[in-house]
Every structure is written in structure tokens, then in C-alpha cells.
Amino acid sequence: MVNTTPFLSPHPAFVANPKSHCGTCNLRDLCLPIGLVDAELDRLDHIVKHRRRIARDGVLYRMNDPFVNLYAIRVGHFKTYQVNANGAHHISGFQMTGELLGMEAISSYRHQCNAVALEDSEVCEVPFSELENLLKDVPIMLHHFHRMMSHEIAQDRNAMLQLGNLRAEQRFAAFLLNLSTRYKNRGYSATHFQLRMSREEIANYLGLTNETISRLLSQFKKTGWVKANNREIALIDLPALRLLAEGK
Amino acid sequence: MVNTTPFLSPHPAFVANPKSHCGTCNLRDLCLPIGLVDAELDRLDHIVKHRRRIARDGVLYRMNDPFVNLYAIRVGHFKTYQVNANGAHHISGFQMTGELLGMEAISSYRHQCNAVALEDSEVCEVPFSELENLLKDVPIMLHHFHRMMSHEIAQDRNAMLQLGNLRAEQRFAAFLLNLSTRYKNRGYSATHFQLRMSREEIANYLGLTNETISRLLSQFKKTGWVKANNREIALIDLPALRLLAEGK
DNA sequence: CGCCCTGTTGAAACAGATCAACGGAGGTGG
DNA sequence: CCACCTCCGTTGATCTGTTTCAACAGGGCG
């Protein structure tokens, strides 16, 4: 259901590769699989000047901040959320290692959402204007970047489809499967992982309430599709979850 | 609420400019405001080889079609929709003159949705690989393209916010205001326009039912916020609609 | 003219929200 | 180390917005 091509995720072998010249950034690692030569990789290393640590609940950027950098998540998890006129906020996504934050800001030169760390995390600052300069000299990287932006669009479309079409239990199943796929692509278990976000945050993301999420999880436990202990999740019956998410 | 910077819409003066060398495409017009020199514009003209007419209900591309071209809408309206495993379909957006179709397909080399004309329409085929070639030589166009993709992301995020947070009447008000803004940016009336899509299609897009849309429209007519006759819409009280859309 | 498709309106059913109470985990300070 | 407190998660009972089902009106088109 969710289109998460391995190509666009860091190959496990490259995540946090200690041999990276950069030493500050997984951006190089992200790009290794696309076949860059050393000189190109060096240029990539050089535009990333800062690695930034963000503590749990720390803010990476805020809505309306001027747009300067993209951020490649080196370790950790983030959430991005928007705040509307009457103060209500809506989580637009959860991001994990290897994903790129801030692309929504290119069009308006200001960030369109808040980005907050869900756990102690680390990002690489990628000055966008310098990245664009580099991209125009390295066609393969240019193309890769376009694919990353396009992937973001495809993902958002998918999330819209879920919000607009699916019943609560389907949305939640799709959410768990989405996490599963993304962890798998990063070389982690597709069936056993820890939720980094609260029930409240999941509910907000899915357009539901925390009570509903709680009830659904209990229900999934009862049917034997998942085991769960607090935020520790084990997906027992992936096929059943897929069937449910895809509309019974 | 919706971030539709004028920069990213064609300036009214440039839409369907009969003097365009291209003659087949409004892509040149779309790019005029960003300050390209003639030689660059000529290159842009040359990569667009085909203009395509699509009759009402005609298909521009289908889900899973191999990705070759982006399409710039020259005249008309389109809808894009996805079909899930059990046949249900969900409209992910309505596109109008000057907007670019197909960006969701760059990442996977296949289209992720169906694009269908809501009325007799005309598009310019933009071969993507040739466009990328051009972009790397013309930094200002490259940047403009990135802004267009980013704008798409920001828009989708906004739609997600609406689907996830708003009650039916708020969604529908936000929908009408979104159309209003986009027509205004194209030099048309912000208050008087014709819906190109059925109640059914609006409902599907907003995650509601056609009955609900119908009831809401009646309600808006009763309160005097809009006048409506079939698909002819007049927004009488924009401030009231904005207040409603932003959460009372 | 008559058919079909789109839109409207009403009544009943239901999914999920809301309100409320409680239990348990983890962190903090004594 | 324990007691306390707060936040998070769970479960139950009720309420409500939206869907569903149904009937009908109107307009466009063959």
C-alpha cells in the first residue's frame, strides 16, 4: 500500500558508516548507492558543515522560520506538525533515520510546520542553496533529489487516501504496516519495534482520538494480530493486517 | 489557509500568451516571470514537442503507466485519483490551468494515480529527462522547479490537515475558499465560478458523501454565505466562510 | 417524450467522539 | 529507597455528526 522503494531509503550497510569522510552526516551514505565517484562525494561532504543534536522534545525548526537548510536525520525520530488559526495542531508525519526534513519550505522560503524530536536525535544541516549548486553539476544526484521530493508527494497522497477513505481500524493497521516497512528498509525487524510516539500523537496523525487508538490496539491484541506492551509492538499476523488495511 | 503564492501560479498576463514561440505550451509562460533570457526560453520551447487534447472524461494517464512526461495544463480541469485493492477510489486533487501533473511518478518511474479530464482540456507534454537536462543548465529554472515540487508537498500537507482535523462544514468551506484563491490567482473572479466536478467528486475528495455536500450547500445558501444554482457558485460572504474554515 | 444521471431531502443506523473514572509507569524529591 | 505526583494509557457509558438507505425532483440528451 505504501510506496517505500528501497532505493530511496538508505541501504542498511550505509547507515552510520563510520568511514564516511564527512563524519558529520549520513547524506553521503544516503547517496552512495546511486554510484557517485569520490570527487562528487567529497563535494557532498563539504556542503554539510554542521551536525546538530536535538534532545527529546527539542525543536529543529518552527513554522514560519526562514528556510535555509534541509535536514537529513542521522539518528532518531521526529514529528512534523502544523498549527492552525485556533491553536489546534495536526501532525503531518513521523520521520526516521535517513529521511529528509524541510522540503515543504522550498516553495515559500519559510517552514510550513514545526519539527520536533521524539527522542534524542541528530541531524545534518544541508544548506539548500549549496545543495542546489551541487545538484546542477551532478546529474545523477539531481535526479536522486527529484525522486526524493517526488517520493514525499507520493507518500502524502497515500496518507490523504487513508484519511479520506479508511475506517479507524484500517487507518491504524495501515499505520503499523507503514512503520513496519520503513524499519525493514533500514535493516531492522519488520515485526518487532518500539513506537516512538504516544497514542495521542498516533491518533492526531490519523485524525482519530487516543481512546480510539487504545481500543483498536486492545482489539488487535484480542484477535491475536499484534502483541503490545506499552510502546513495544510485535506484529504477529502481517497478512491479516494487510487484508484489513486494504479494505477487508 | 492554503498557501498559494502568486509566484507559483501563472501571472494572468502570461496565461495562454499567443506570442509564445512554443505555440504548443504554457510552460514558457509559466516560466516567464522568473526572468529567463530568450535563449533559455527557446530551449524550453524545444523540449515540448506535443500538445495533447483530452476530451471530457478522457484519460491523461493511468496508475502504473510508465513515467515519461510531466503535463502542464494549458486549458481545462483535471482530477487525479487512486484506486485501492478493493476497487474503491479516492480523488487526491483537482488541477487547473497552469498546474503541473505527474510529479508523483518521478520516484517510482510509474504513475501513482489516474488523471482524468473534467472538461475538454489541453496539456503540454514535458519529457521529464529532457527537462532535467535543461534544468541543470539553467539554475533559476532548476530552483523554480524545486519550488513547484515543494509547493505540491505543502498543498498536500494542507489537504491532510483538513481531512484529519476539520468537521464536514469546515472542509467544504475550505474547499470553496481554495478554489476561490486559485481562480483569483489566474485572473478570474474569486467569488463567482463554476464547479467542474460533481457533488460526488467533491465529497470523495473531502472524505465525505455526496448527500453531506448537498446538505452543506443548502445550509450555506440558507445562511446567505453562498448562492448556488447547480454548479454555478457565488461566494457571498468570504469572511464568514474563512471564519468557519479556520475553526469558528 | 422518456430515460438516466445528478442532486436534494428525510429518517434511521452507526462509527467514532466525548466525558469520566481509574490504573500503571516513570520520574522527582524527600 | 520509598512516597508522591504527573503523564500516559485503558476501559466504560453516553452522545453526536455523518453515513446509509430510500424516495423523489430536475435537467440534459438521445
Side-chain angles (χ1 to χ4, degrees):
Chain A
M1 158 143 275
V2 175
N3 173 14
T4 315
T5 63
F7 187 98
L8 293 164
S9 305
H11 188 282
F14 294 120
V15 174
N17 173 1
K19 286 191 195 153
S20 164
H21 279 193
C22 178
T24 60
C25 172
N26 62 354
L27 195 63
R28 182 192 182 110
D29 301 326
L30 280 172
C31 288
L32 269 178
I34 65 177
L36 301 184
V37 301
D38 269 357
E40 290 158 355
L41 284 170
D42 281 345
R43 281 192 63 184
L44 184 54
D45 284 349
H46 281 96
I47 67 172
V48 177
K49 290 170 197 77
H50 299 289
R51 168 157 47 156
R52 219 167 114 191
R53 286 168 177 279
I54 313 280
R56 186 168 195 272
D57 295 326
V59 176
L60 177 58
Y61 56 76
R62 285 176 212 279
M63 249 171 106
N64 232 29
D65 278 356
F67 169 63
V68 179
N69 301 303
L70 294 176
Y71 300 92
I73 304 177
R74 187 174 162 76
V75 291
H77 284 72
F78 285 81
K79 66 174 173 183
T80 49
Y81 64 96
Q82 298 182 280
V83 182
N84 69 14
N86 57 328
H89 69 285
H90 182 246
I91 295 173
S92 50
F94 300 105
Q95 296 79 24
M96 54 178 70
T97 302
E99 293 177 340
L100 212 48
L101 278 162
M103 289 189 286
E104 88 293 340
I106 299 171
S107 75
S108 55
Y109 304 120
R110 293 194 173 273
H111 285 286
Q112 299 295 306
C113 59
N114 302 284
V116 168
L118 292 173
E119 60 184 337
D120 293 354
S121 303
E122 218 176 285
V123 299
C124 301
E125 283 186 10
V126 186
F128 181 66
S129 60
E130 295 180 44
L131 178 64
E132 246 183 6
N133 265 329
L134 175 55
L135 292 179
K136 73 180 200 293
D137 295 339
V138 190
I140 196 170
M141 270 194 69
L142 178 67
H143 185 64
H144 187 65
F145 181 67
H146 290 162
R147 289 189 67 197
M148 290 181 79
M149 290 201 79
S150 166
H151 187 244
E152 194 77 16
I153 293 171
Q155 291 254 68
D156 286 352
R157 291 285 168 80
N158 216 73
M160 282 171 60
L161 188 146
Q162 287 174 21
L163 284 172
N165 268 303
L166 306 187
R167 279 171 308 110
E169 52 178 4
Q170 297 177 299
R171 288 186 212 180
F172 185 48
F175 173 77
L176 292 174
L177 290 169
N178 178 309
L179 289 181
S180 166
T181 306
R182 287 155 79 192
Y183 284 125
K184 187 178 174 191
N185 285 342
R186 278 158 185 75
Y188 300 114
S189 167
T191 54
H192 293 69
F193 50 86
Q194 221 197 96
L195 298 174
R196 320 294 164 132
M197 65 295 284
S198 66
R199 306 283 190 270
E200 179 81 46
E201 288 168 325
I202 297 171
N204 183 295
Y205 174 65
L206 296 176
L208 301 168
T209 60
N210 53 6
E211 291 96 331
T212 299
I213 296 298
S214 194
R215 281 184 241 273
L216 288 171
L217 193 56
S218 300
Q219 182 186 314
F220 287 180
K221 278 157 81 173
K222 220 170 280 173
T223 55
W225 294 345
V226 312
K227 286 186 179 169
N229 198 322
N230 290 322
R231 298 193 179 182
E232 210 64 52
I233 297 286
L235 305 183
I236 305 303
D237 193 344
L238 282 176
L241 288 170
R242 283 200 199 96
L243 230 59
L244 176 62
E246 286 173 4
K248 189 136 59 236
Chain B
M1 158 142 278
V2 175
N3 174 14
T4 316
T5 64
F7 188 96
L8 292 164
S9 305
H11 187 284
F14 294 119
V15 174
N17 173 1
K19 288 191 196 153
S20 164
H21 279 194
C22 178
T24 59
C25 171
N26 62 356
L27 195 63
R28 182 193 183 110
D29 302 325
L30 280 171
C31 289
L32 269 178
I34 66 178
L36 301 185
V37 300
D38 269 358
E40 290 159 355
L41 283 171
D42 281 345
R43 281 192 63 183
L44 185 54
D45 284 348
H46 281 97
I47 68 172
V48 177
K49 290 171 197 77
H50 298 291
R51 170 158 45 158
R52 217 166 114 193
R53 287 167 177 278
I54 312 279
R56 186 167 196 273
D57 295 326
V59 176
L60 178 58
Y61 56 77
R62 286 175 212 278
M63 251 171 104
N64 233 30
D65 279 355
F67 169 63
V68 180
N69 301 301
L70 293 176
Y71 300 93
I73 304 178
R74 187 173 163 76
V75 290
H77 285 72
F78 284 80
K79 67 174 173 182
T80 50
Y81 64 97
Q82 299 182 280
V83 182
N84 69 15
N86 57 328
H89 68 286
H90 182 246
I91 295 174
S92 51
F94 300 106
Q95 296 80 23
M96 54 178 71
T97 301
E99 293 176 341
L100 212 49
L101 279 161
M103 290 189 287
E104 88 292 340
I106 299 171
S107 75
S108 55
Y109 304 119
R110 292 193 175 273
H111 285 285
Q112 298 297 305
C113 58
N114 302 285
V116 169
L118 293 174
E119 60 184 338
D120 292 354
S121 302
E122 217 176 284
V123 299
C124 302
E125 282 188 12
V126 185
F128 182 65
S129 61
E130 296 180 42
L131 178 64
E132 246 182 6
N133 265 330
L134 175 56
L135 292 179
K136 73 179 201 296
D137 295 338
V138 190
I140 197 169
M141 269 193 69
L142 178 66
H143 185 64
H144 187 66
F145 180 67
H146 290 160
R147 289 190 67 197
M148 290 181 81
M149 291 201 79
S150 165
H151 187 243
E152 195 76 16
I153 294 172
Q155 291 254 67
D156 287 352
R157 293 283 169 81
N158 216 73
M160 283 171 62
L161 188 146
Q162 287 173 21
L163 285 172
N165 268 303
L166 305 188
R167 279 171 303 112
E169 50 176 6
Q170 298 178 299
R171 287 187 213 178
F172 185 48
F175 172 76
L176 292 173
L177 290 168
N178 179 310
L179 288 181
S180 166
T181 305
R182 287 155 79 193
Y183 284 126
K184 187 179 173 189
N185 286 341
R186 278 158 184 76
Y188 300 116
S189 168
T191 55
H192 292 68
F193 50 85
Q194 221 197 99
L195 298 175
R196 320 293 165 132
M197 65 294 282
S198 67
R199 306 283 190 268
E200 180 81 46
E201 288 167 324
I202 297 171
N204 183 296
Y205 174 65
L206 296 175
L208 302 168
T209 59
N210 54 6
E211 292 95 331
T212 299
I213 297 299
S214 193
R215 282 184 241 273
L216 288 171
L217 193 56
S218 302
Q219 182 187 315
F220 287 1
K221 278 156 82 174
K222 219 170 280 173
T223 56
W225 294 345
V226 313
K227 286 185 179 167
N229 199 322
N230 289 322
R231 299 193 179 182
E232 208 63 53
I233 296 286
L235 305 183
I236 305 301
D237 194 343
L238 283 175
L241 288 169
R242 284 201 198 96
L243 231 58
L244 176 62
E246 285 172 5
K248 190 131 61 245

